[in-house]
């Protein structure tokens, strides 16, 4: 599994939506499934998937798939 598949899988599990609905334009609260509670589930999924601990500052900045891809670079994951 490549990193984009891992990332999309984490989103799909966190929001309980099909992987096909996930793209870089997906943003916080742009779908009903991405609310404040599911945002925390997403953080847990990302931490579990990538075996990292995401800093609070980064959690607050995670407003879109594209932004999360950028944040993951900080933790050593280049998502292509």
């Amino acid at each position: 599994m490549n990193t984009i598949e891992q990332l999309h899988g984490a989103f799909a599990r966190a929001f309980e939506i099909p992987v096909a609905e996930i793209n870089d334009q997906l943003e916080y609260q742009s779908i009903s499934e991405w609310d404040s509670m599911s945002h925390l589930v997403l953080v847990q999924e990302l931490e579990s998937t990538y075996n990292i601990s995401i800093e609070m500052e980064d959690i607050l900045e995670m407003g879109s798939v594209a932004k999360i891809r950028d944040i993951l670079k900080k933790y050593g994951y280049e998502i292509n």
Side-chain angles (χ1 to χ4, degrees):
M1 179 182 301
N2 69 32
T3 54
I4 196 72
E5 289 171 340
Q6 288 175 322
L7 180 63
H8 287 186
F11 271 88
R13 288 187 301 277
F15 302 149
E16 298 178 352
I17 60 174
V19 172
E21 293 183 20
I22 301 159
N23 58 55
D24 277 355
Q25 288 70 46
L26 187 64
E27 296 182 341
Y28 177 65
Q29 294 186 335
S30 65
I31 59 172
S32 62
E33 292 86 358
W34 194 350
D35 60 16
S36 58
M37 288 300 287
S38 62
H39 189 75
L40 298 176
V41 175
L42 175 62
V43 170
Q44 185 276 323
E45 283 291 340
L46 292 170
E47 290 180 333
S48 176
T49 298
Y50 295 102
N51 196 29
I52 58 175
S53 181
I54 301 172
E55 296 175 11
M56 183 58 67
E57 177 182 310
D58 292 330
I59 291 169
L60 296 173
E61 293 293 320
M62 293 170 43
S64 69
V65 173
K67 181 64 177 172
I68 291 170
R69 287 173 67 160
D70 288 341
I71 289 170
L72 287 173
K73 287 179 190 175
K74 173 182 174 181
Y75 296 90
Y77 291 93
E78 185 78 27
I79 311 290
N80 295 317

